[in-house]
Amino acid sequence: MLFEQTSIPEVVLITPNRMEDERGYFSETFRSDQFEANIGSFAFVQENLSYSRKAGTVRGLHYQLAPHAQGKLVSCPVGALWDVAVDLRHGSPTFGRFVAAELSDENGRQLWIPPGFAHGFCTLKPETTICYKVTAYYKQEVERGLFWNDPALEITWPTSIAEAVVSDKDKKQPRLNELYANFA
Ligand SMILES: Cc1cn([C@H]2C[C@H](O)[C@@H](COP(=O)(O)OP(=O)(O)O[C@H]3O[C@@H](C)C(=O)[C@@H](O)[C@H]3O)O2)c(=O)[nH]c1=O
């Protein structure tokens, strides 16, 4: 399993090994010992799966307020997506900056997004499934959003506002400069 730092060092790209034979492949997609040695000690308490029908579906950017902030270990078992993490840690040298990575059933990659980041993604293929483990339970009252296409974030999305499939909730999320400072 390969662990690679990204331009924001706490966000880590993980590539599990695949053992191939005539049947297909086998892959260990999570090992607590390797995760702890390379990233740190985090306990996952919930696992989520969401399916998006169309390419160009955007979900996010979402986060939960402290002390309910979620670390997320994201993978894409079916299809392909463009996964994005935005640093919301006030005082961080990379506050407001983003990391993006393509995760797909072909490359098997995962993205580790620690607590203190907003997370979102855009599907690159129809019929795409995302799977992610989180380190804190979902709590609707403390769920917050950031507008995915806020120009201040300078995120290069693989879709446009006109073409993206977005929930009504996510069309109305606040901009970065409207967020209440939450993460130290
Ligand atoms: C996130 C979540 C949603 N729900 C419910 C609430 C609602 O009825 C339905 C759909 O919720 P949403 O519209 O918020 O789903 P979605 O827009 O897919 O939200 C997700 O987006 C990605 C980017 C994330 O990072 C996740 O943490 C989560 O915020 O599922 C849960 O029951 N548990 C959960 O953990």
Side-chain angles (χ1 to χ4, degrees):
M1 207 177 279
L2 179 68
F3 293 79
E4 295 172 284
Q5 280 186 345
T6 64
S7 57
I8 301 179
E10 297 84 3
V11 179
V12 180
L13 192 62
I14 303 165
T15 310
N17 297 330
R18 285 183 171 176
M19 273 72 74
E20 312 227 6
D21 62 25
E22 61 285 355
R23 299 167 297 176
Y25 69 80
F26 181 93
S27 184
E28 291 183 352
T29 54
F30 176 75
R31 284 187 59 119
S32 191
D33 55 353
Q34 293 194 21
F35 193 88
E36 185 162 348
N38 287 277
I39 293 178
S41 185
F42 290 92
F44 294 101
V45 297
Q46 183 179 326
E47 186 168 59
N48 303 322
L49 189 83
S50 80
Y51 157 83
S52 299
R53 207 162 282 119
K54 294 186 178 166
T57 301
V58 175
R59 296 183 189 237
L61 300 154
H62 298 158
Y63 62 101
Q64 290 195 169
L65 298 176
H68 306 282
Q70 296 175 312
K72 297 176 184 171
L73 179 60
V74 184
S75 63
C76 179
V78 183
L81 55 87
W82 184 245
D83 207 50
V84 176
V86 177
D87 188 355
L88 295 183
R89 300 168 303 171
H90 280 264
S92 161
T94 52
F95 176 82
R97 296 215 337 238
F98 74 95
V99 165
E102 184 174 333
L103 311 180
S104 69
D105 52 12
E106 282 174 25
N107 67 29
R109 283 188 182 139
Q110 305 174 357
L111 196 65
W112 162 247
I113 303 169
F117 285 71
H119 169 241
F121 64 90
C122 176
T123 56
L124 299 170
K125 289 185 179 173
E127 317 276 339
T128 285
T129 300
I130 185 173
C131 179
Y132 47 105
K133 294 178 178 30
V134 293
T135 60
Y137 291 108
Y138 170 68
K139 198 168 163 64
Q140 194 172 25
E141 313 88 89
V142 296
E143 193 195 31
R144 294 291 183 277
L146 167 63
F147 184 57
W148 65 281
N149 220 346
D150 178 357
L153 302 174
E154 298 180 356
I155 298 172
T156 43
W157 289 98
T159 187
S160 63
I161 291 190
E163 286 170 337
V165 180
V166 184
S167 70
D168 288 341
K169 179 178 83 174
D170 286 346
K171 286 179 186 159
K172 300 178 211 141
Q173 300 287 13
R175 307 309 198 248
L176 183 66
N177 66 7
E178 297 169 318
L179 297 191
Y180 168 75
N182 183 246
F183 302 107

